[in-house]
Amino acid sequence: MFVNNRTLSNSKARPQGLSRNWHIRLFGMLLLAGGFAGSLQANETAAKVVSVAPVQSQMISPQMMVSGQVYSRYQSNLSAGVDGRLEWIAEAGQQVAQGDVLAKLDPTPLTLRKNELQAQLKRSQINAARLDKELARLTTLVAKQLISQTQLDQVQADRDLALADVELNRASLAQVQDQLNRAVVTAPFAGVVSQRHHQKGEEVSRSETLLQLVSLTDLEVRVFAPLAYAAFIQPGQQLQVYQQQGQTQLQLSSVIPVSDVRSQTFEARLAVTAADANNFSVGQLVSVALPTASASLSTVVHRDALVLGKQQHAVFLVQETKEGGPQVKRLTVELGQGQGEWLQVKAAVKPGDQLVVRGADTLKDGDKVRVLSEAEFALAKSKTPTDTVAL
């Protein structure tokens, strides 16, 4: 059989060519698959992770900032209430608990007076007992008609006077005991000795102030504001108080809408809770946001949603796209009054819209985002937020 060498060589070469084409195609398919996977990964990484908070409607009123000062509700000038020589007195700055000793007077004169009255009381009791027996004896004699009724009446009167002397001596003894108790001055409440006006060894009278005691836990903020705004606040209302450590809400305890012709101001007092007492000091100056008009329903956003700028402020609104997946839209806002963690704004938003509160600093208009669920991120509500916005 005749075989063409060219045909044979072609028949052997064809499978090798087919093998090379198959490898090329397989390599191309792998490249396409890798590119598709990379595209998917790029799309996934393009979505930025954020957390959101809804726009709300709240009652907001215009406010003005007024200065206030922290006072102690218990600030007492203490005196002994008795005359005597000062034996010991607490140092200024010493912190004491309720019932602790603050000062001591020399009790010697009062002790001697007490001993004298005790002796007088014993003497009057002996005299009353003697007259009691005499009255019983004379009563028996009168029954036998051995003495007159006049003698019995005289002894009975003497007995009654002796009993009255016993009561007088007991009252005098109680007064001296009270003076002895006052010779030791104790703290009526817990606090700190802010001043002392006398030194050890001095003679003091009963009305002289020995020292001043100030409570550090029972505090209040006193504010003097224009009388025209007294109608917009009432006891029980919560007001924002700003200090160096941040801001907090305090309850209005009392309003004193009384003024004079010259000042035209009224006084308001806000109670400082025990939990906030450590953030305030007696004499500290604070600022209080006071309502100047009736509250109205306003659109508010969370403070963390604001992206602050030099010229204007903005928020990022989360929207659903037709292609699928949320993306953000940058909106310029105009700020109004603040109330705690919420700020009044003028913007193209409505209650229920979701605004970015975490991750907004790196966003641009139109960026795709992935929103964390409430389980993944819970919006923290601070009682005394320190982030403030210049309005």
Side-chain angles (χ1 to χ4, degrees), residues 179-202:
Q179 291 177 347
L180 276 171
N181 295 337
R182 289 174 178 268
V184 179
V185 181
T186 57
F189 51 84
V192 62
V193 178
S194 60
Q195 297 180 29
R196 68 175 188 175
H197 302 279
H198 290 278
Q199 304 296 329
K200 176 182 177 180
E202 294 182 359

Side-chain angles (χ1 to χ4, degrees), residues 87-379:
E87 274 193 344
W88 179 85
I89 186 169
E91 294 286 344
Q94 181 177 341
Q95 294 194 14
V96 296
Q98 184 177 0
D100 287 352
V101 176
L102 297 176
K104 293 181 180 179
L105 273 67
D106 183 9
T108 302
L110 294 174
T111 302
L112 295 175
R113 177 61 178 164
K114 178 181 179 181
N115 295 337
E116 179 184 358
L117 290 175
Q118 285 177 337
Q120 290 181 3
L121 175 61
K122 185 176 182 180
R123 180 178 180 178
S124 62
Q125 288 174 336
I126 293 173
N127 187 38
R130 180 185 64 82
L131 292 175
D132 224 5
K133 293 178 181 179
E134 182 69 13
L135 181 61
R137 187 179 66 83
L138 292 181
T139 301
T140 304
L141 294 178
V142 168
K144 296 178 180 180
Q145 296 182 351
L146 297 177
I147 61 172
S148 64
Q149 183 66 35
T150 303
Q151 290 178 315
L152 179 63
D153 293 342
Q154 182 63 41
V155 173
Q156 186 173 1
D158 292 341
R159 195 279 309 266
D160 292 341
L161 288 175
L163 292 177
D165 289 340
V166 171
E167 295 300 324
L168 286 174
N169 288 328
R170 283 177 176 169
S172 298
L173 188 60
Q175 290 177 2
V176 172
Q177 184 60 52
D178 178 66
Q179 291 177 347
L180 276 171
N181 295 337
R182 289 174 178 268
V184 179
V185 181
T186 57
F189 51 84
V192 62
V193 178
S194 60
Q195 297 180 29
R196 68 175 188 175
H197 302 279
H198 290 278
Q199 304 296 329
K200 176 182 177 180
E202 294 182 359
E203 292 287 338
V204 296
S205 64
R206 59 179 301 168
S207 59
E208 285 186 285
T209 299
L210 300 180
L211 47 79
Q212 184 182 69
L213 184 65
V214 179
S215 174
L216 299 179
T217 55
D218 296 293
L219 306 178
E220 65 181 6
V221 176
R222 299 180 187 177
V223 177
F224 291 90
L227 188 61
Y229 303 136
F232 303 114
I233 62 174
Q234 56 185 355
Q237 188 173 350
Q238 297 285 335
L239 298 181
Q240 290 290 332
V241 178
Y242 298 86
Q243 54 169 331
Q244 186 176 3
Q245 291 79 6
Q247 71 179 74
T248 185
Q249 281 191 342
L250 297 181
Q251 184 175 0
L252 192 64
S253 59
S254 61
V255 179
I256 308 173
V258 178
S259 181
D260 53 51
V261 177
R262 179 171 297 180
S263 67
Q264 287 295 293
T265 60
F266 73 98
E267 182 180 357
R269 300 186 179 186
L270 296 91
V272 179
T273 62
D276 294 326
N278 293 332
N279 298 326
F280 294 90
S281 301
V282 177
Q284 178 184 355
L285 293 177
V286 298
S287 297
V288 180
L290 197 70
T292 58
S294 299
S296 60
L297 191 62
S298 304
T299 300
V300 295
V301 301
H302 198 275
R303 287 181 181 270
D304 292 341
L306 291 175
V307 179
L308 304 181
K310 295 182 179 180
Q311 302 295 332
Q312 59 184 8
H313 310 310
V315 295
F316 283 93
L317 174 65
V318 177
Q319 296 177 324
E320 290 293 335
T321 61
K322 296 181 180 180
E323 296 80 7
Q327 69 178 21
V328 295
K329 180 180 181 181
R330 188 179 187 277
L331 300 175
T332 303
V333 297
E334 181 180 346
L335 301 183
Q337 299 291 331
Q339 182 170 306
E341 296 180 336
W342 301 91
L343 285 172
Q344 182 185 28
V345 296
K346 292 182 179 179
V349 294
K350 61 183 183 300
D353 287 347
Q354 300 293 328
L355 301 181
V356 176
V357 293
R358 291 293 186 273
D361 294 337
T362 60
L363 293 179
K364 300 185 299 296
D365 190 23
D367 282 350
K368 293 183 178 181
V369 294
R370 183 175 73 85
V371 179
L372 295 177
S373 63
E374 294 184 0
E376 293 174 310
F377 177 83
L379 184 61

